[in-house]
């Protein structure tokens, strides 16, 4: 099983809402990632978890809060977002956060902030 | 810092023609290089990766890429384009150190004409 799953597929939220994005993998990977992708742009790294600990935060605003409850799950909690946060949010995983290991991506959650 | 440059944001080929997507890298140390494909409204899928084992790398769906250190290039090719190859292609680089992040190129959109 080389699948990374993400829920929901689509999410529309107001600027005062609180919502969460979920990501799951059952490949035994110990590194998990959140990316943000705007239309016609490459993915931009937001967070990296390695062995369930946050190892990289790319200066992401605090309205985005990641959580890694266990080695298979990754959440992204959203609060007080802005319309410019509308994007495709991609989750990925790899065996470990070492350069030679490729990342496996989920299908993404398309987020619209109204 | 490492980076990649993808020449040509849009490439159009006829079905059955050669596909050539260009990627040049800059890295102060020997890099790891990846090609990912993204179909509309989907996540990224790994096509192939270079990790210094062999300079000619074969990937999925008939794609291959050649690492040329003298030209700092890692161009993606496919001998005969198929309609299903129409997608966005991203070249990405990371360096051989633990925990280093993937840096994506700006992407090339491939169109295949019937």
């Amino acid at each position: 099983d080389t699948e990374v799953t993400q829920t929901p597929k689509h999410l529309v939220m107001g600027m005062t809402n609180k919502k969460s994005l979920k990501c799951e993998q059952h490949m035994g990977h110990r590194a998990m990632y959140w990316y943000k992708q705007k239309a016609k742009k490459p993915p931009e790294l937001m967070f990296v978890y390695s062995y369930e600990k946050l190892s990289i935060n790319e200066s992401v605003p605090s309205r985005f809060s990641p959580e890694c409850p266990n080695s298979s799950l990754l959440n992204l909690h959203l609060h007080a977002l802005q319309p410019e946060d509308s994007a495709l949010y991609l989750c990925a995983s790899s065996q470990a956060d070492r350069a030679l290991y490729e990342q496996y991506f989920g299908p993404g959650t398309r987020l619209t902030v109204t | 810092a490492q980076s990649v440059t993808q020449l040509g944001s849009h490439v159009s080929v006829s079905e059955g023609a050669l596909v050539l997507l260009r990627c040049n890298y800059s890295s102060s140390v020997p890099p790891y290089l990846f090609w990912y494909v993204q179909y509309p409204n989907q996540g990224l899928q790994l096509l192939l990766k270079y990790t210094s084992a062999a300079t000619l790398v074969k990937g999925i769906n008939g794609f291959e890429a050649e690492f040329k250190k003298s030209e700092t290039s890692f161009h993606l090719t496919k001998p005969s384009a198929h309609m299903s190859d129409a997608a966005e292609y991203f070249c990405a680089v990371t360096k051989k150190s633990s925990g280093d992040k993937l840096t994506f190129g700006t992407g090339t959109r491939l169109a295949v004409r019937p």
Side-chain angles (χ1 to χ4, degrees):
Chain A
D1 181 9
T2 57
E3 190 178 24
V4 176
T5 58
Q6 290 187 244
T7 54
K9 287 180 68 75
H10 301 275
L11 179 62
V12 179
M13 60 185 291
M15 289 190 285
T16 59
N17 291 159
K18 284 186 181 181
K19 296 287 185 182
S20 297
L21 309 184
K22 295 184 186 302
C23 173
E24 191 166 5
Q25 57 88 12
H26 294 288
M27 295 178 276
H29 289 174
R30 303 314 299 268
M32 297 186 76
Y33 311 78
W34 280 115
Y35 289 85
K36 174 183 178 180
Q37 186 180 26
K38 301 285 274 186
K40 302 185 190 305
K41 297 289 187 183
E44 298 173 11
L45 183 66
M46 300 174 71
F47 303 103
V48 180
Y49 272 84
S50 177
Y51 292 85
E52 297 141 60
K53 289 187 176 8
L54 184 66
S55 60
I56 295 178
N57 177 341
E58 290 288 294
S59 303
V60 178
S62 60
R63 57 185 184 269
F64 296 91
S65 175
E67 178 196 22
C68 189
N70 60 54
S71 60
S72 300
L73 291 173
L74 186 66
N75 299 320
L76 186 63
H77 302 298
L78 314 172
H79 174 54
L81 295 193
Q82 303 297 310
E84 60 264 29
D85 297 322
S86 298
L88 181 68
Y89 288 83
L90 295 164
C91 173
S93 71
S94 64
Q95 273 187 267
D97 63 340
R98 287 187 177 270
L100 71 94
Y101 296 120
E102 63 266 31
Q103 295 180 25
Y104 293 82
F105 284 80
T109 293
R110 187 159 301 281
L111 174 67
T112 303
V113 181
T114 60
Chain B
Q2 67 273 18
S3 67
V4 288
T5 301
Q6 291 184 243
L7 291 175
S9 58
H10 290 83
V11 170
S12 180
V13 300
S14 297
E15 191 173 20
L18 172 72
V19 175
L20 171 61
L21 304 182
R22 299 177 186 275
C23 174
N24 288 87
Y25 69 91
S26 66
S27 176
S28 57
V29 296
Y32 289 124
L33 291 156
F34 304 81
W35 275 100
Y36 282 88
V37 61
Q38 186 174 30
Y39 298 101
N41 300 311
Q42 292 189 29
L44 279 70
Q45 181 182 14
L46 180 72
L47 283 175
L48 48 83
K49 68 176 182 179
Y50 167 75
T51 57
S52 77
T55 56
L56 182 62
V57 182
K58 293 188 185 298
I60 62 171
N61 302 340
F63 285 94
E64 63 180 39
E66 187 172 6
F67 175 75
K68 292 187 176 180
K69 187 176 178 181
S70 60
E71 299 177 8
T72 62
S73 69
F74 190 57
H75 301 332
L76 183 71
T77 60
K78 182 174 180 178
S80 176
H82 192 272
M83 297 297 290
S84 61
D85 295 326
E88 187 84 21
Y89 291 80
F90 292 99
C91 182
V93 66
T94 188
K95 65 182 183 188
K96 295 178 184 178
S97 63
S98 63
D100 206 7
K101 64 178 184 177
L102 209 52
T103 300
F104 288 92
T106 51
T108 297
R109 180 162 295 276
L110 176 66
V112 182
R113 303 185 301 272

